[in-house]
Amino acid sequence: GESVGLHLPTLSVQEGDNSIINCAYSNSASDYFIWYKQESGKGPQFIIDIRSNMDKRQGQRVTVLLNKTVKHLSLQIAATQPGDSAVYFCAEKSNYGQNFVFGPGTRLSVLP
Amino acid sequence: DAGVTQSPTHLIKTRGQHVTLRCSPISGHKSVSWYQQVLGQGPQFIFQYYEKEERGRGNFPDRFSARQFPNYSSELNVNALLLGDSALYLCASSLSTGGVNTEAFFGQGTRLTVV
């Protein structure tokens, strides 16, 4: 079955450094991916998305990279700030399904 | 602009009871999906509704049911509650079910505790 997973459950970075959060997915037919940020007690917040016909997409301070060959997705956060501390989820949507499949998440902690 | 709104925000129920959770999607969005998020895990898909019809169902027992109303709001019902149903229930809203408009935006969730 399809599944989405993350390589690391936790990640600690110094304030101002760049963060890289990784995600592996298993369904090669998936065509759409979203990164979500979830703060404690809140719902997931849309950060950035990417479609399978793209390798890279940039937003404000964030970049998502998609490597379809190895089924790997990453989220890069530039100049990480304390407000970036949260759990980050990658979510995958297959071209035949109606739902997103989420990984277990990576907790990002920003150190002062 | 109002985002996805869910009610109630918190709820405590006893085993065996039933519960109804409500969701109002973003204005103009016709698709509503429900997810269950157990503490420490990613959200798990329960249902998707589009134009009042069920378009997808996750691997959840028949105790879980949902519906969508003409104004695109939705209810999730859970009968015969079990302790394991304790979770954050999330509603996601999107313009449609596929194509280019497939971004899903989540509400704050309803925290259900079954005791």
Side-chain angles (χ1 to χ4, degrees), chain A residues 4-35:
Chain A
V4 178
L6 295 169
H7 294 305
L8 293 173
T10 61
L11 176 66
S12 295
V13 298
Q14 291 292 138
E15 181 178 354
D17 287 352
N18 297 333
S19 304
I20 299 177
I21 301 172
N22 295 305
C23 176
Y25 64 96
S26 61
N27 186 357
S28 58
S30 295
D31 64 353
Y32 183 55
F33 305 86
I34 296 180
W35 278 101

Side-chain angles (χ1 to χ4, degrees), chain B residues 20-63:
Chain B
T20 297
L21 310 180
R22 296 177 175 82
C23 171
S24 292
I26 294 170
S27 177
H29 284 196
K30 298 183 178 180
S31 179
V32 169
S33 298
W34 288 94
Y35 288 80
Q36 180 197 65
Q37 187 177 24
V38 175
L39 193 63
Q41 298 182 18
Q44 298 292 314
F45 173 68
I46 309 175
F47 287 110
Q48 187 195 47
Y49 276 78
Y50 178 70
E51 292 282 14
K52 303 183 292 296
E53 292 186 0
E54 182 183 302
R55 293 299 184 93
R57 172 186 284 254
N59 187 25
F60 280 80
D62 292 342
R63 299 184 296 108

Side-chain angles (χ1 to χ4, degrees), chain A residues 32 34 36 38 41-46 49 51 89 93 97-105, chain B residues 35 37 40-43 45 48 55 88 90 97-108:
Chain A
Y32 183 55
I34 296 180
Y36 286 96
Q38 188 174 28
K42 297 184 178 180
Q45 176 188 356
F46 178 98
D49 61 357
R51 301 194 180 277
F89 294 97
K93 188 171 185 180
Q98 302 297 336
N99 60 287
F100 284 93
V101 177
F102 285 78
Chain B
Y35 288 80
Q37 187 177 24
Q41 298 182 18
F45 173 68
Q48 187 195 47
R55 293 299 184 93
L88 180 67
L90 295 162
T97 61
V100 297
N101 297 320
T102 52
E103 295 93 336
F105 299 92
F106 284 85
Q108 297 288 65

